[in-house]
Amino acid sequence: MKEYKAVINGEFIDNNEWLEIINPTDNSIAGKVTALKGKDINNAFESARKSQEAWENTHLLKRISILNNFKKLLIQNKNNLAEVMTSEIAKSLKDSLSEIDRTIELIEYTFEEAKRMDPLALTGEGMGAKNKLGIFSRVAKGVVLAISPFNYPFNLALAKIIPALVMGNTVVFKPATAGSLVGSLLGKLSIEANFPKGIFNVVTGRGREIGDLITMNKEIDMISFTGSVSIGNNIKEKGSSKDIVLELGGKDPALVLDDNNLESYSKNIIDGAFGYSGQRCTAIKRVITTNKIADKLVPLLIDKVNKLTIGSPYENKDITPVIDQKSADFIKGLVEDAKLKKATILTGDKYIKNLIYPTLIDNVTLEMRVAWEEPFGPILPIIRIDNIEEMIRVANESEFGLQASIFCADINNALQVAKRIKTGTVNINSKSQRGPDCFPFLGIKNSGQGVQGVRESLLSMTRYHGIVINY
Ligand code: NAP
Ligand code: G3P
């Protein structure tokens, strides 16, 4: 069985303690990662601290050049990285490859944007202080703890690691257990890219066992976390750093306001709901529309769901097994609850272990759990509401506020409704999505805190340092 070792202070850790990573497709062992204990975790933070000042004092262009060597290695190892990703999270090979391509673009964009983080030069004149000139530069915060979820082990890891490093921070990176083979490979490639020792440390092991040891370490200056609401909020309460960016769950609604382009609306809804089997924070997780529109929309949705292919990620099927049996049982529980409360099952509701057939559920009412809870799987509830005010109210009543979609040919109507939707972003006439990655990306309410995106991540991983010249 292939071993993937943690990396601390530029060296592989060989403590002979392992955590097996299960392949969700066939339950085989995809590989094993180092199961770290407390002493090594402390060493990771200590080496990040020790190396930080020298790294920050390294010229920006030199830092970019070192990180660019790393980027070249990511490109050279693209196929292996994609295969490993598929083996540990059952994302189709083609989607794993496109996640890597997208991230390479993000890295290049980040290098360019880092060069434009110019200082502010201000005079005090407007405040009656004519003799003061302030120069406010963005400087590194120090040691950044990056924690990523299972669903984008490459993109959501590097969207934190690269902006942190390029601005002169050092990083301790904790990948999700499902995703830690890719995470460990990032550590290995950082050694091959000759990263200065200590600037990038990969700590692996189960979050529930070593999470507190990691998040409560006193060396942390900033935490960037992506994952579930419960773990994110727990870290916010218990973690050692008050400086925290959280990207959490969602229950993105698609509001269909007219029947002008139902073919395009239905295509977007199905892509948005069932991409990577619904395991995207930004997946469309409920459709809200009127009875009249639903009567025409639903047959198109059924038709498209019936065309989705189901099976192995190695064969690039659209619907692949969800991450584990626990997740599959949770998703099935949501469907069972809706059935008990008289929802109409239109497709799917078939389960082969953790492979869930894409399930459309119509006539979902507000008493059903699936109207409110995030399934993180291939099921889509349709809520019929005839009054537009009520549609907006239900869209906004959610504990989540990540994204929303509005489908409407009349741009004025669409904009009027969009302004009233309480989410980080509203997409008009498209599925909800994070990309392109240069856009600010944020969730409000329980969906997060702070903003990601290329420029926004560079800002959140730096602080102002002012020098005031008195003359
Ligand atoms: P998760 O269970 O919350 O895990 C996220 C990360 O936290 C993993 O690295 C996990 O490690 C770690 N962790 C677990 N317990 C911890 C603890 N006590 N202390 C510190 N770290 C701990 O989430 P997931 O299942 O991987 O991802 C799915 C969730 O992420 C969904 O809710 C989805 O909406 C959300 N998400 C949000 C965004 C966004 O941008 N808003 C993007 C992607 C995903 P282990 O794996 O070892 O437990
Ligand atoms: O769920 C992770 C988030 O980053 C999704 O990105 O482009 O699939 O919306 P995207």
Side-chain angles (χ1 to χ4, degrees):
M1 185 195 320
K2 193 139 190 234
E3 295 173 352
Y4 296 74
K5 292 179 184 162
V7 170
I8 294 174
N9 201 28
E11 281 166 20
F12 291 115
I13 299 300
D14 213 344
N15 65 358
N16 219 16
E17 303 264 357
W18 299 101
L19 172 60
E20 290 177 348
I21 307 301
I22 306 299
N23 183 331
T25 304
D26 58 9
N27 257 328
S28 63
I29 297 167
K32 55 182 186 176
V33 295
T34 315
L36 285 177
K37 299 281 179 272
K39 189 169 121 297
D40 287 321
I41 289 166
N42 281 337
N43 287 343
F45 284 102
E46 271 171 28
S47 60
R49 174 61 67 206
K50 276 195 196 129
S51 57
Q52 198 271 324
E53 201 176 327
W55 177 240
E56 187 174 2
N57 287 337
T58 303
H59 195 292
L60 172 65
L61 294 187
K62 178 71 182 162
R63 292 201 300 266
I64 290 178
S65 143
I66 293 168
L67 295 171
N68 198 41
N69 290 339
F70 177 64
K71 184 203 83 184
K72 286 182 192 155
L73 288 171
L74 298 176
I75 296 170
Q76 278 168 27
N77 287 274
K78 179 172 145 177
N79 288 331
N80 181 42
L81 282 161
E83 276 160 31
V84 171
M85 197 189 307
T86 296
S87 76
E88 61 179 333
I89 64 160
K91 181 174 279 188
S92 72
L93 266 176
K94 85 173 160 33
D95 286 353
S96 297
L97 283 166
S98 76
E99 180 176 335
I100 294 172
D101 287 339
R102 159 190 183 169
T103 310
I104 298 298
E105 227 181 304
L106 169 98
I107 294 172
E108 286 166 352
Y109 203 113
T110 305
F111 292 163
E112 289 310 309
E113 204 64 21
K115 293 179 198 162
R116 318 261 175 268
M117 299 294 284
D118 297 321
L120 286 180
L122 303 168
T123 68
E125 228 177 316
M127 304 293 282
K130 205 173 169 56
N131 62 333
K132 285 183 188 287
L133 172 65
I135 301 167
F136 289 84
S137 312
R138 300 300 302 187
V139 298
K141 282 186 172 168
V143 173
V144 171
L145 168 62
I147 304 181
S148 58
F150 79 83
N151 62 338
Y152 284 80
F154 194 78
N155 183 270
L156 289 176
L158 289 161
K160 303 177 192 310
I161 294 163
I162 296 294
L165 288 175
V166 80
M167 295 310 292
N169 300 282
T170 53
V171 173
V172 175
F173 166 51
K174 154 77 179 92
T177 293
S180 53
L181 301 183
V182 168
S184 303
L185 282 176
L186 297 182
K188 177 171 179 279
L189 295 176
S190 75
I191 295 178
E192 289 173 26
N194 283 322
F195 275 18
K197 280 186 187 304
I199 68 161
F200 179 55
N201 305 275
V202 182
V203 294
T204 47
R206 278 201 193 287
R208 63 170 178 265
E209 284 159 20
I210 57 169
D212 283 356
L213 281 175
I214 294 174
T215 55
M216 291 164 82
N217 191 287
K218 295 285 172 260
E219 296 295 344
I220 302 169
D221 293 303
M222 189 243 172
I223 300 176
S224 178
F225 173 88
T226 306
S228 61
V229 174
S230 59
I231 306 279
N233 284 339
N234 185 35
I235 294 174
K236 186 173 155 183
E237 274 163 35
K238 289 190 357 201
S240 72
S241 177
K242 286 196 194 99
D243 190 351
I244 182 164
V245 171
L246 298 170
E247 292 184 330
L248 308 175
K251 186 73 181 168
D252 294 3
L255 283 81
V256 184
L257 301 184
D258 69 25
D259 58 4
N260 283 312
N261 295 308
L262 284 181
E263 186 51 39
S264 155
Y265 301 170
S266 59
K267 183 180 178 320
N268 266 284
I269 290 171
I270 297 304
D271 282 357
F274 295 104
Y276 184 38
S277 307
Q279 297 171 114
R280 295 168 52 241
C281 56
T282 44
I284 291 180
K285 293 178 181 137
R286 49 195 172 131
V287 173
I288 306 177
T289 192
T290 63
N291 258 312
K292 201 166 142 230
I293 297 171
D295 286 345
K296 294 190 211 163
L297 176 69
V298 161
L300 297 176
L301 296 177
I302 295 176
D303 184 53
K304 290 185 176 55
V305 167
N306 286 338
K307 289 190 177 124
L308 294 173
T309 56
I310 300 156
S312 167
Y314 298 98
E315 292 164 9
N316 286 322
K317 301 292 186 198
D318 300 315
I319 301 294
T320 55
V322 296
I323 195 67
D324 55 25
Q325 194 56 47
K326 189 170 162 225
S327 175
D329 293 342
F330 173 77
I331 297 161
K332 190 174 177 191
L334 292 179
V335 179
E336 290 302 319
D337 174 76
K339 276 160 61 180
L340 271 176
K341 293 172 183 159
K342 308 266 182 282
T344 313
I345 303 296
L346 300 172
T347 64
D349 191 22
K350 178 174 164 188
Y351 311 84
I352 304 174
K353 296 184 187 155
N354 55 334
L355 179 65
I356 300 180
Y357 281 57
T359 304
L360 272 177
I361 317 171
D362 200 356
N363 299 309
V364 167
T365 61
L366 304 185
E367 293 70 46
M368 299 175 190
R369 288 174 53 205
V370 75
W372 305 109
E373 294 180 36
E374 180 186 46
F376 232 56
I379 68 174
L380 179 64
I382 300 161
I383 304 171
R384 294 173 180 240
I385 297 175
D386 275 331
N387 168 341
I388 186 125
E389 286 302 315
E390 190 62 5
M391 284 166 77
I392 296 171
R393 186 188 70 74
V394 169
N396 286 340
E397 204 170 286
S398 169
E399 66 168 299
F400 297 106
L402 191 57
Q403 295 211 343
S405 292
I406 290 178
F407 293 98
C408 180
D410 181 331
I411 193 70
N412 291 336
N413 278 351
L415 286 171
Q416 272 169 16
V417 175
K419 274 173 72 175
R420 297 178 59 196
I421 299 295
K422 298 196 183 332
T423 56
T425 304
V426 180
N427 300 272
I428 296 180
N429 293 325
S430 133
K431 65 180 185 181
S432 37
Q433 59 190 333
R434 179 194 187 109
D437 289 330
C438 58
F439 285 178
F441 180 65
L442 68 156
I444 59 169
K445 300 195 268 179
N446 260 347
S447 288
Q449 171 178 318
V451 190
Q452 297 262 292
V454 173
R455 189 159 183 89
E456 289 67 25
S457 297
L458 293 170
L459 287 171
S460 74
M461 289 173 178
T462 51
R463 64 175 174 85
Y464 274 124
H465 180 258
I467 295 180
V468 179
I469 302 168
N470 294 277
Y471 60 96

